[in-house]
């Protein structure tokens, strides 16, 4: 419900019930997956072949 209220997930219809289409769920799923892949790529750029295994990589 918070995702709908914030605009992150669209809903159909009005009234009390919040209906979400399968296409909207798939769009949201794809968007979140791409954000995760992007974050992993960004973290991976900070790792070189000579990076010690115990080095802490700051994520924020």
């Amino acid at each position: 419900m918070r995702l709908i209220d914030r605009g992150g997930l669209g809903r159909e219809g009005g009234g009390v019930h919040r209906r979400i289409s399968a296409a909207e769920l798939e769009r949201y799923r794809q968007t979140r997956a791409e954000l995760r892949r992007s974050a992993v790529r960004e973290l991976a750029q900070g790792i070189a072949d000579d990076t010690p295994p115990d080095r802490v990589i700051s994520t924020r």
Side-chain angles (χ1 to χ4, degrees):
M1 291 172 62
R2 281 182 259 165
L3 283 170
I4 293 170
D5 293 341
R6 287 187 224 147
L9 193 59
R11 69 179 176 133
E12 295 179 354
V16 177
H17 300 287
R18 298 175 185 193
R19 293 182 177 94
I20 303 165
S21 70
E24 178 63 12
L25 285 175
E26 181 61 19
R27 180 205 60 81
Y28 177 77
R29 190 184 74 74
Q30 290 292 331
T31 301
R32 297 299 298 170
E34 181 52 39
L35 286 171
R36 281 191 303 277
R37 284 190 293 270
S38 174
V40 168
R41 280 192 298 270
E42 185 178 322
L43 286 172
Q45 288 176 355
I47 301 171
D49 289 338
D50 61 344
T51 303
D54 61 343
R55 179 175 165 223
V56 176
I57 299 171
S58 176
T59 59
R60 293 182 191 225

